[in-house]
Amino acid sequence: MLATVVIIFAFLNTTSGSKYIDTMIYEACCTCQNESFVTVDSRLDDVLRVLSQLSSSVTRVSNRQQELSIQLDSIAARMDSAVPSPDSDSDSAVGPPRQDGLLERLTEQHRDLVERLDGVAKQVGNLSASCSAERAEPRQLGSPCRQDADCATDVALSFCSEGVCVCSEGTSEDAGQCRRQSQISEPCERDADCAHHHALCAGGVCACGAGFGGDDCRPLVAAGTSCSADSECHPSRPVLSCLLGRCAEPFCELTAAGGRPVRLAGHSASPADCRAGRLVVTDAGRWWQLCDASPWTDADAAVACRELGFPIGSAVTDGRYGDGRTGPARVLSIRCSGAERTLSECPQRFVTNGASGGCPADSAPVTVECWDI
């Protein structure tokens, strides 16, 4: 046991033993600078736990030291009684060496170790107070950071990027906080509220900017682009289908009253779904986009659908089936009451024929959605 005591004191008072304690303090300091505060608290607890264990060990060693001291004193007393007196004729009777020097060294080392442990405890206490003071100041967007947890603790949906706290992808900064961005057709207040790069806030909802479409605002595909499947022609306005290896506007053909063929463009190429789209008429062997120079109304659309064989219908003015800005166009000014059987019975005025520019800016394509009862 005496040898064990000597080894413990010897180690803790050597350069290696001193570096062991210094390393614990250094790691805790680095932790305070480089890691999250939750981790700092955990590491400080580890240091304090080790110090507590060392203190307990020193206490046990001190108690054992006192026991050894008593035993050594007892041994020395017995040995003194066995040593011959100075008047003895025996010159060879020499008692064993006393252990006072060893006890003195152990006592001194014990005292030094206790003082060192007290100093370590004070350093750890100061470190904990310093970290607590730093933690009392919450981080903000733009504050320095070393890892994501430094930012997310105080600002939700943020992370550490290039040493500063910023909002994560899919969020935008709003009054110092990170707010989830809106998808297409979701409510918004400003362009920054919209998640996609080419989206903007229009009419209180997110929408794709000019030249982009689809749920993720991809560049629109132009008619005439090479393709091998319909998916390669999306997104587009109007919707394009892959027809004969090229992206083209789908259309279906109906027979209007009097046997005249009529096309509905921009919705579907399926005869079974031929009920909506822009009205395209034929004249002298040529197809013309029909345009209305006066506001296109539900009464006008009801007459057009009736002419196509549907009992009811409504006008479409939001361009969902295309804007009719390409190809030959015939511009009329149509004013139906809604009771007519065909558009030709409605009061109308011929305006102009356009060779290839589609409906002029001051007119709109005649567009309908028709239903069966």
Side-chain angles (χ1 to χ4, degrees):
M1 180 63 186
L2 179 60
T4 302
V5 173
V6 174
I7 291 172
I8 292 176
F9 279 125
F11 170 72
L12 292 176
N13 281 277
T14 60
T15 301
S16 298
S18 179
K19 286 184 176 180
Y20 172 72
I21 297 177
D22 289 340
T23 299
M24 291 193 303
I25 299 175
Y26 174 78
E27 289 180 350
C29 290
C30 290
T31 297
C32 185
Q33 296 175 356
N34 300 329
E35 299 182 5
S36 67
F37 292 121
V38 175
T39 307
V40 170
D41 289 338
S42 176
R43 295 292 296 274
L44 288 176
D45 287 342
D46 290 342
V47 173
L48 291 174
R49 185 163 46 252
V50 172
L51 290 176
S52 177
Q53 294 172 354
L54 286 173
S55 179
S56 298
S57 298
V58 169
T59 300
R60 290 195 298 270
V61 170
S62 177
N63 293 337
R64 184 55 180 162
Q65 177 185 341
Q66 294 177 3
E67 296 175 1
L68 289 173
S69 178
I70 295 173
Q71 293 177 13
L72 289 173
D73 286 343
S74 176
I75 293 173
R78 290 199 300 270
M79 294 177 67
D80 286 342
S81 63
V83 174
S85 64
D87 297 333
S88 173
D89 295 335
S90 176
D91 296 332
S92 62
V94 180
R98 295 287 302 272
Q99 303 295 324
D100 294 341
L102 175 61
L103 289 175
E104 291 175 357
R105 290 197 302 275
L106 289 176
T107 301
E108 182 179 355
Q109 291 175 359
H110 170 259
R111 182 172 56 254
D112 292 342
L113 180 58
V114 170
E115 291 177 356
R116 180 157 182 74
L117 290 177
D118 288 342
V120 171
K122 290 179 180 179
Q123 293 183 55
V124 173
N126 294 336
L127 177 62
S128 178
S130 174
C131 289
S132 298
E134 183 178 351
R135 182 168 61 251
E137 300 179 2
R139 280 186 170 86
Q140 301 175 351
L141 294 176
S143 295
C145 60
R146 294 182 180 273
Q147 60 180 13
D148 293 347
D150 294 341
C151 305
T153 300
D154 297 314
V155 183
L157 303 178
S158 66
F159 74 109
C160 187
S161 175
E162 299 182 355
V164 295
C165 294
V166 298
C167 289
S168 59
E169 184 177 359
T171 66
S172 62
E173 181 179 351
D174 183 19
Q177 298 297 315
C178 298
R179 185 170 66 177
R180 189 187 73 82
Q181 292 176 302
S182 300
Q183 302 299 315
I184 299 303
S185 299
E186 291 184 346
C188 61
E189 296 179 359
R190 54 180 183 164
D191 291 348
D193 294 339
C194 301
H196 300 292
H197 181 65
H198 297 292
L200 47 83
C201 187
V205 296
C206 291
C208 295
F212 300 89
D215 294 336
D216 52 359
C217 292
R218 289 174 291 165
L220 295 177
V221 178
T225 302
S226 299
C227 63
S228 58
D230 287 347
S231 59
E232 297 178 10
C233 299
H234 301 157
S236 58
R237 287 194 300 264
V239 175
L240 301 181
S241 298
C242 190
L243 303 173
L244 302 178
R246 298 283 178 178
C247 291
E249 187 178 21
F251 68 87
C252 55
E253 193 166 309
L254 296 171
T255 301
R260 183 166 55 96
V262 174
R263 289 177 177 176
L264 290 178
H267 172 58
S268 173
S270 170
D273 195 30
C274 196
R275 60 174 184 80
R278 303 189 326 274
L279 199 62
V280 183
V281 298
T282 182
D283 184 30
R286 193 174 188 182
W287 290 97
W288 301 79
Q289 167 70 58
L290 197 60
C291 310
D292 189 5
S294 57
W296 180 247
T297 66
D298 285 340
D300 300 331
V303 175
C305 287
R306 187 176 298 121
E307 186 174 359
L308 295 175
F310 296 93
I312 56 175
S314 62
V316 177
T317 59
D318 61 4
R320 75 186 70 171
Y321 301 125
D323 56 14
R325 302 300 181 195
T326 59
R330 174 164 293 177
V331 184
L332 304 175
S333 178
I334 305 172
R335 298 181 181 277
C336 300
S337 66
E340 295 87 353
R341 292 175 299 173
T342 66
L343 288 178
S344 60
E345 295 180 2
C346 299
Q348 56 182 274
R349 176 177 57 86
F350 174 78
V351 178
T352 185
N353 281 339
S356 60
C359 295
D362 58 353
S363 67
V366 171
T367 308
V368 298
E369 284 185 347
C370 306
W371 297 280
D372 294 315
I373 295 179

